[in-house]
Amino acid sequence: MAKHFSLLLVLAFVLVVMAEDCTVDLKGLIRECKPYVVFPASPKITPSSACCSAVQKVNAPCMCSKVTKEIEKVVCMDKVVYVADYCKNPLKPGSDCGSYHVPSQGR
């Protein structure tokens, strides 16, 4: 139960911090995509069409600039890359998203 409460606190923090600069429906993004990006790292689950719709509205460089170590404790960045790719709004290979380095293509 404490783990779920911590997750909710982190997600609430994400909403506040990211909403400062990045214009996107963060509540919708979290509501639709949370099951596909949180730990454990596997399995990677194919995101829903509702999640993809929310992902396609995201300004990825802006969102990535807001990712903190606390967010990375809850959100699996490998899964974020997978979901973004699947939803056709990929993170730029070789870029950084928080402290996570997005793998170059072909790896």
Side-chain angles (χ1 to χ4, degrees):
M1 176 126 160
K3 184 176 181 178
H4 293 291
F5 182 70
S6 296
L7 174 63
L8 291 174
L9 285 178
V10 169
L11 292 175
F13 176 74
V14 170
L15 281 173
V16 171
V17 170
M18 290 186 173
E20 290 176 4
D21 299 319
C22 306
T23 55
V24 67
D25 177 13
L26 290 168
K27 288 180 185 177
L29 181 66
I30 291 171
R31 179 182 63 247
E32 300 299 340
C33 297
K34 180 177 72 173
Y36 309 106
V37 298
V38 295
F39 284 102
S42 60
K44 290 180 180 161
I45 303 168
T46 302
S48 67
S49 59
C51 173
C52 283
S53 179
V55 167
Q56 290 169 355
K57 298 172 187 169
V58 169
N59 176 340
C62 182
M63 296 292 270
C64 283
S65 73
K66 304 297 182 188
V67 174
T68 65
K69 290 283 190 189
E70 285 72 30
I71 293 168
E72 290 180 36
K73 289 178 184 175
V74 178
V75 175
C76 175
M77 297 308 292
D78 282 331
K79 283 185 169 182
V80 169
V81 170
Y82 169 76
V83 168
D85 284 345
Y86 184 89
C87 295
K88 298 180 176 47
N89 189 9
L91 301 176
K92 183 180 175 186
S95 66
D96 292 323
C97 196
S99 67
Y100 180 85
H101 189 72
V102 179
S104 297
Q105 292 179 340
R107 282 179 47 176

